[in-house]
Amino acid sequence: MLVNEVINAKDLPVMEFDGIIVGGGGAGMRASLQLAESGLNTAVISKVFPTRSHTVSAQGGITCAIQSDDPDDDWRWHMFDTVKGSDYIGDQEAIEYMCSEGPKAVFELEHMGLPFSRTEEGRIYQRPFGGQSKDYGKGGQATRTCAAADRTGHSLLHTLFQANLKAGTNFLNEWFAVDLVLNADKAVVGVIAFKIETGEIYYIKSKATVLATGGAGRIYSSTTNALINSGDGIGMALRAGMPVQDIEMWQFHPTGIHGAGTLVTEGCRGEGGYLLNKDGERFMERYAPNAKDLASRDVVARSMALEILEGRGCGPNADHIFLRLDHLGPEVVHKRLPGITELSKTFAGVDPAVQPIPVVPTCHYMMGGIPTNINGQVISVEHGEDKIVDGLFAAGEVACVSVHGGNRLGGNSLLDLVVFGRAAGLYIEESMKQGIEVKDASNDDIEKALERLNRLNASTEGDQVSVLKEKMQQNMQNNFGVFRRGDLMEKGIEELAKTREEVNDIFLQDKSATFNTARIEALEMQNLFEVAEATAITANERKESRGAHARDDFTERDDENWLKHSIYYADTKEVSKRDVNYRPKTVQAFQPMVRSY
Amino acid sequence: MSSAAIPVAQIKTITMSIYRYDPTLDKKPYMQDIIVEVPTDKDIMVLDALHLAKAQEPSLSYRRSCREGVCGSDGMNINGKNGLACVTPLSEVIKRNKITLRPMPGLPVVRDLIVDMKQFYDQLEKVRPYLITKSDSPDIERTQSPEDREQLDGLYECILCGCCSTSCPSFWWNPDKFLGPAALLQSWRFIADTRDEATDERLDDLEDAFSLYRCHGIMNCVSVCPKGLNPTEAISNIRNKLLTRKKA
């Protein structure tokens, strides 16, 4: 059966695996590795060949207290920094798990062959990163971020792909997952997916489905994210009746290359680089007297945006900031930051060993996502109570476990995806051993997951993807950026509401079944739109400033009302609150304090 | 790759001559000219120009992901030479307001600029592209000196775009038997890794007339690699290793 036909459930061929993972990035392939090594029949469904996933673009490193640079380093200090970085809405049980299990997960990567840079002693090289301290913020800057030059994500992703080849994982490469299939008990029992090359479509059945589809930075017009980051997992979850949590929390990375949006790692500042305004002033000394350029990303991004707004930006249009590296010398720049050197030459026409790089805060990371517990099990919230969704897991950027809360620290995303990809795998492995009984999906259940495709195939007129996408991206960029304001957000929400029908009725002119990228882009657009709408409505609802969510009309953090997760459902478009976890298992919880760097 | 900031003067519209083929609709491939308007105040990449073409002609198909030269999706033949569309500035390849784009040569075309990479990936898998160890892993990381780690520079950065293997005449001729520059670079990446404990087996696997020895040092691989890597050197390193092993 082909993707461009009228597809009905009773004729749909079925494939079955013990576990399926949607997404072939770091989280997905760490989960699949765990399952494949335990002998389970495991499949990774990835819309691109796995090494083309966005993990490949991570640069600076993976933050973890492995005690290489500092033998006295302590995962509890890393936990403190992460809780503080989250502006106190990160779940402390999850952060405790990530920081304490982290060293094991990092050493496993080294054992798999990850080509980490090395110290003179032959251990893994670590560099300073933003928001990292010793002794619970009292001992100065920590050097904790493990690196493979400035290509850590590339090295990590390729290493995981290699390990999966060795373990015999089944790869369904260049397959697109359309929607989740739920049975009568509302348990997830697989996905509808098609092979992009030929258009052959299947119901892929499994007792455990892991969403590891990454982020959705393409809701904004200026982003460091790959073109494939379209929030497919978020779209699937919202349509299937699951919630998203803290989706208003979007990280703007301080240093995207001006005009191009490509990322320049925080590791540049870790290695000693700093930011300058048009007067040549090292302005971060004013905003963060202690940590300066290595303050948390939300703090640095806001400071830069203020400098530009107040007329101290660089260049003829005073619209960017300079990142200076030349004082480090060509040796450090070319050896420690070879990828940055290449990107700066290509996208800014400058050699950072000689000239400063023009940078601006650029959309980078989605802190929110599908709520899960530390086993990766997806959680829905019913009448204020957490309830586990059977058969569905999420890990990595698509998930909100939540270790990043209102603001993620640099180097914590790679740690998040290996630790929780692994944790989901371990949990599934264990529950498979004990045996899982689930009801089969009926034809009616499967039909529901086919609706979107059939509607697209039937389209005869309407708007093109490129038009709708640009409208949405401009709206998000203008009304839901670094600084937010109620009246503008309401205007933005209205605009989205007006576009909703057009997105549902998107026009697919090209109905070919063979490698039809127009069909993929239409399906991706619908996913992006779900993320954009959830972001907009939730951002307007959170009436405070916290982490990356900075409002001009509510400038203070409001712990009395908003020391909470936001929870959003697409069917009602309503926002509710969920308690933040302050119950770590082995240490005392860190209580909210004034956050300064 | 260094002139992104240099403005392309005068150009307003350009002609993109693009290889088109959808096997379900077209009897045979053809070249389509798509006229695209490009900005005059700044340079753009070939991939950006392709996006403009696709906005006019949504059925135009090509792979893309990171758009910054690290994922290896958009390898294609640009004016006769393989490269990545996302890091190739238009100003460097445009001639008389025209640019010609074809799929990477030597592999079956799936549609338009998209080739079937199966043979390429199959050859990669043959070199067992993963670390093989026999001794127990320590509780922490294995140690490796910075000098030993440096042996992997110029090897681990490969992005599997396929530009090298699909510009190699030996690979065009024997894509099923000659492993090709990309796979052999990966083979050397693991032989050169002091942590790997399967050097002999890896070398054994390459001791036939085709897998390695079909490389004739043409060096097309080196001239097209968008990451500046040198597969020919890796191949000669493997040859030397095989020779010294025989002598010993």
Side-chain angles (χ1 to χ4, degrees):
Chain A
M1 176 158 273
L2 294 180
V3 69
N4 60 350
E5 297 167 351
V6 178
I7 311 153
N8 56 64
K10 69 176 177 15
D11 300 325
L12 197 63
V14 182
M15 268 191 212
E16 190 167 357
F17 296 96
D18 295 327
I20 56 177
I21 287 93
V22 184
M29 288 206 289
R30 187 61 190 83
S32 64
L33 180 64
Q34 201 66 41
L35 296 185
E37 281 183 341
S38 69
L40 293 168
N41 190 16
T42 309
V44 172
I45 301 168
S46 177
K47 66 179 177 180
V48 293
F49 186 77
T51 62
R52 328 264 183 234
S53 306
H54 187 54
T55 303
V56 82
S57 292
Q59 298 172 352
I62 175 166
T63 303
C64 189
I66 60 160
Q67 302 176 321
S68 162
D69 182 85
D70 173 7
D72 298 323
D73 198 9
D74 192 320
W75 66 262
R76 293 167 193 85
W77 301 348
H78 181 200
M79 177 180 173
F80 168 84
D81 293 335
T82 304
V83 170
K84 178 182 171 188
S86 81
D87 219 346
Y88 300 97
I89 58 164
D91 284 335
Q92 298 205 10
E93 186 195 12
I95 296 172
E96 175 190 40
Y97 182 81
M98 176 176 82
C99 296
S100 60
E101 284 288 296
K104 214 184 289 175
V106 170
F107 294 141
E108 283 169 0
L109 289 170
E110 195 284 328
H111 297 160
M112 288 174 216
L114 200 155
F116 281 111
S117 300
R118 298 288 174 158
T119 64
E120 285 306 318
E121 294 75 42
R123 293 206 59 192
I124 293 172
Y125 169 75
Q126 293 180 293
R127 60 164 54 111
F129 243 58
Q132 298 293 335
S133 76
K134 296 181 189 186
D135 198 17
Y136 307 104
K138 299 190 288 277
Q141 176 71 41
T143 301
R144 187 177 289 143
T145 302
C146 311
D150 58 356
R151 301 189 178 100
T152 315
H154 170 277
S155 304
L156 186 149
L157 187 68
H158 279 253
T159 300
L160 283 174
F161 177 63
Q162 293 157 0
N164 272 280
L165 282 182
K166 194 175 174 183
T169 303
N170 299 293
F171 280 105
L172 299 181
N173 292 335
E174 297 188 325
W175 280 62
F176 190 88
V178 181
D179 267 311
L180 297 167
V181 177
L182 276 65
N183 69 10
D185 300 331
K186 300 288 168 208
V188 173
V189 289
V191 295
I192 301 295
F194 64 91
K195 186 176 181 177
I196 299 172
E197 182 183 333
T198 58
E200 292 163 273
I201 183 161
Y202 289 85
Y203 163 33
I204 303 182
K205 190 175 161 182
S206 178
K207 287 174 185 166
T209 300
V210 183
L211 292 176
T213 53
R218 287 280 154 183
I219 63 171
Y220 289 93
S221 53
S222 171
T223 174
T224 64
N225 282 200
L227 293 153
I228 58 170
N229 285 23
S230 53
D232 299 336
I234 302 280
M236 282 190 258
L238 285 175
R239 280 189 299 273
M242 282 82 167
V244 288
Q245 175 171 284
D246 297 337
I247 196 75
E248 69 277 22
M249 296 297 183
W250 282 87
Q251 177 161 84
F252 289 79
H253 195 291
T255 55
I257 293 181
H258 174 62
T262 44
L263 173 70
V264 175
T265 176
E266 187 169 301
C268 292
R269 284 169 283 139
E271 296 287 347
Y274 50 79
L275 298 163
L276 296 172
N277 64 17
K278 79 165 165 67
D279 304 323
E281 184 202 0
R282 235 189 119 171
F283 58 86
M284 280 312 299
E285 290 177 340
R286 265 189 282 125
Y287 294 95
N290 298 312
K292 298 177 185 140
D293 296 86
L294 285 178
S296 217
R297 283 182 182 169
D298 56 336
V299 174
V300 180
R302 272 195 295 275
S303 308
M304 291 169 70
L306 278 174
E307 288 298 299
I308 294 170
L309 283 174
E310 289 170 6
R312 290 187 295 277
C314 306
N317 301 322
D319 58 356
H320 57 268
I321 295 291
F322 279 140
L323 171 61
R324 185 176 176 201
L325 296 174
D326 63 294
H327 60 290
L328 302 175
E331 173 70 5
V332 171
V333 174
H334 294 150
K335 189 162 181 180
R336 295 286 181 213
L337 304 164
I340 289 314
T341 303
E342 202 179 312
L343 284 170
S344 304
K345 285 180 178 173
T346 307
F347 289 101
V350 301
D351 178 351
V354 182
Q355 292 161 276
I357 311 172
V359 292
V360 282
T362 305
C363 167
H364 182 57
Y365 189 87
M366 176 177 82
M367 266 80 69
I370 304 167
T372 72
N373 62 20
I374 60 170
N375 300 318
Q377 292 173 286
V378 170
I379 289 167
S380 72
V381 183
E382 289 172 18
H383 311 295
E385 297 287 318
D386 286 1
K387 191 172 170 292
I388 283 166
V389 178
D390 287 328
L392 188 63
F393 300 78
E397 191 170 343
V398 69
C400 183
V401 55
S402 131
V403 285
H404 311 304
N407 170 67
R408 174 173 72 76
L409 295 185
N412 268 356
S413 62
L414 292 184
L415 188 65
D416 170 12
L417 60 83
V418 289
V419 167
F420 291 104
R422 178 177 176 271
L426 285 167
Y427 183 85
I428 294 167
E429 187 184 334
E430 194 48 45
S431 54
M432 290 283 177
K433 270 186 210 150
Q434 293 173 6
I436 307 172
E437 287 303 316
V438 286
K439 263 187 211 144
D440 274 341
S442 69
N443 281 346
D444 280 352
D445 296 331
I446 297 170
E447 290 292 348
K448 280 193 196 118
L450 289 167
E451 265 171 24
R452 195 159 71 105
L453 259 188
N454 280 326
R455 189 166 180 172
L456 194 59
N457 278 332
S459 67
T460 53
E461 55 176 8
D463 286 310
Q464 301 266 11
V465 173
S466 54
V467 178
L468 292 171
K469 198 190 284 175
E470 199 183 324
K471 198 151 74 168
M472 174 194 69
Q473 289 173 334
Q474 284 301 336
N475 181 2
M476 296 308 290
Q477 192 76 27
N478 295 339
N479 301 318
F480 304 92
V482 175
F483 293 107
R484 298 165 172 184
R485 221 171 73 191
D487 55 341
L488 290 178
M489 289 196 279
E490 268 163 34
K491 196 183 95 200
I493 292 167
E494 256 172 60
E495 266 179 50
L496 285 172
K498 273 188 237 156
T499 326
R500 165 53 85 174
E501 281 305 303
E502 292 153 29
V503 172
N504 289 349
D505 293 327
I506 226 161
F507 176 40
L508 179 67
Q509 189 177 11
D510 176 8
K511 301 286 202 296
S512 170
T514 307
F515 220 115
N516 188 339
T517 52
R519 178 179 283 108
I520 303 292
E521 288 187 9
L523 294 167
E524 288 176 337
M525 175 65 214
Q526 292 174 334
N527 291 329
L528 281 170
F529 194 83
E530 294 296 342
V531 183
E533 195 173 39
T535 299
I537 292 173
T538 317
N540 191 35
E541 228 26 68
R542 187 181 281 275
K543 295 191 169 41
E544 64 158 353
S545 287
R546 180 186 300 274
H549 179 66
R551 290 187 64 145
D552 293 339
D553 47 356
F554 296 91
T555 54
E556 298 298 313
R557 191 173 85 189
D558 177 3
D559 284 345
E560 202 172 309
N561 295 301
W562 277 107
L563 192 66
K564 297 277 181 191
H565 294 301
S566 69
I567 291 285
Y568 169 87
Y569 280 95
D571 52 355
T572 56
K573 300 195 200 302
E574 273 170 18
V575 179
S576 57
K577 295 176 187 177
R578 177 171 174 246
D579 286 342
V580 177
N581 180 300
Y582 270 77
R583 299 181 307 279
K585 291 194 170 105
T586 63
V587 294
Q588 288 254 313
F590 298 107
Q591 297 304 321
M593 296 192 300
V594 174
R595 193 164 154 258
S596 63
Y597 286 96
Chain B
M1 297 210 299
S2 59
S3 57
I6 299 171
V8 184
Q10 291 118 18
I11 294 174
K12 288 194 179 101
T13 61
I14 63 162
T15 303
M16 301 182 75
S17 177
I18 304 177
Y19 179 100
R20 301 296 311 265
Y21 179 55
D22 180 343
T24 55
L25 303 172
D26 306 319
K27 281 204 187 94
K28 57 179 188 187
Y30 62 98
M31 299 300 290
Q32 181 188 12
D33 282 356
I34 302 178
I35 312 290
V36 173
E37 285 182 14
V38 297
T40 51
D41 59 331
K42 59 167 188 176
D43 202 357
I44 62 171
M45 298 294 167
V46 172
L47 182 66
D48 300 319
L50 266 171
H51 293 335
L52 296 171
K54 190 172 170 66
Q56 285 180 43
E57 196 70 50
S59 67
L60 173 64
S61 299
Y62 49 90
R63 293 188 176 100
R64 82 290 180 278
S65 173
C66 76
R67 62 79 174 88
E68 58 186 26
V70 296
C71 80
S73 295
D74 62 349
M76 59 187 67
N77 192 271
I78 306 166
N79 284 354
K81 189 177 174 185
N82 285 355
L84 297 180
C86 61
V87 289
T88 303
L90 203 53
S91 61
E92 281 185 9
V93 288
I94 193 133
K95 298 222 169 65
R96 274 175 255 119
N97 275 358
K98 190 172 172 178
I99 176 175
T100 305
L101 301 176
R102 296 173 188 271
M104 293 192 292
L107 293 174
V109 174
V110 174
R111 177 174 171 173
D112 299 343
L113 299 172
I114 295 167
V115 292
D116 181 351
M117 302 272 284
K118 185 172 187 307
Q119 283 173 328
F120 176 82
Y121 296 136
D122 284 352
Q123 298 302 58
L124 175 70
E125 283 194 41
K126 278 191 200 159
V127 305
R128 291 189 278 174
Y130 36 79
L131 195 75
I132 300 176
T133 55
K134 289 156 191 173
S135 51
D136 290 337
S137 306
D139 289 336
I140 60 169
E141 75 270 41
R142 285 188 193 81
T143 53
Q144 186 176 44
S145 71
E147 294 73 32
D148 285 343
R149 167 59 184 77
E150 218 162 88
Q151 300 305 308
L152 307 181
D153 285 345
L155 306 172
Y156 83 98
E157 301 94 323
C158 173
I159 57 174
L160 303 176
C161 62
C163 285
C164 59
S165 293
T166 62
S167 65
C168 170
S170 299
F171 188 76
W172 294 338
W173 206 245
N174 295 110
D176 52 338
K177 296 194 194 116
F178 174 53
L179 296 175
L184 289 165
L185 184 90
Q186 287 301 303
S187 177
W188 179 245
R189 178 249 173 276
F190 288 100
I191 294 170
D193 195 325
T194 51
R195 300 170 297 173
D196 191 81
E197 295 168 325
T199 298
D200 263 327
E201 294 92 315
R202 293 184 189 280
L203 291 174
D204 289 345
D205 288 349
L206 300 173
E207 284 239 55
D208 60 68
F210 283 91
S211 301
L212 170 79
Y213 289 110
R214 281 287 138 153
C215 168
H216 298 304
I218 300 165
M219 295 182 76
N220 280 0
C221 53
V222 182
S223 86
V224 299
C225 177
K227 305 309 283 183
L229 310 181
N230 190 334
T232 308
E233 190 183 16
I235 291 169
S236 72
N237 286 337
I238 302 176
R239 286 184 194 220
N240 287 339
K241 197 101 183 167
L242 278 162
L243 274 172
T244 47
R245 181 170 80 149
K246 267 196 193 126
K247 279 184 199 150

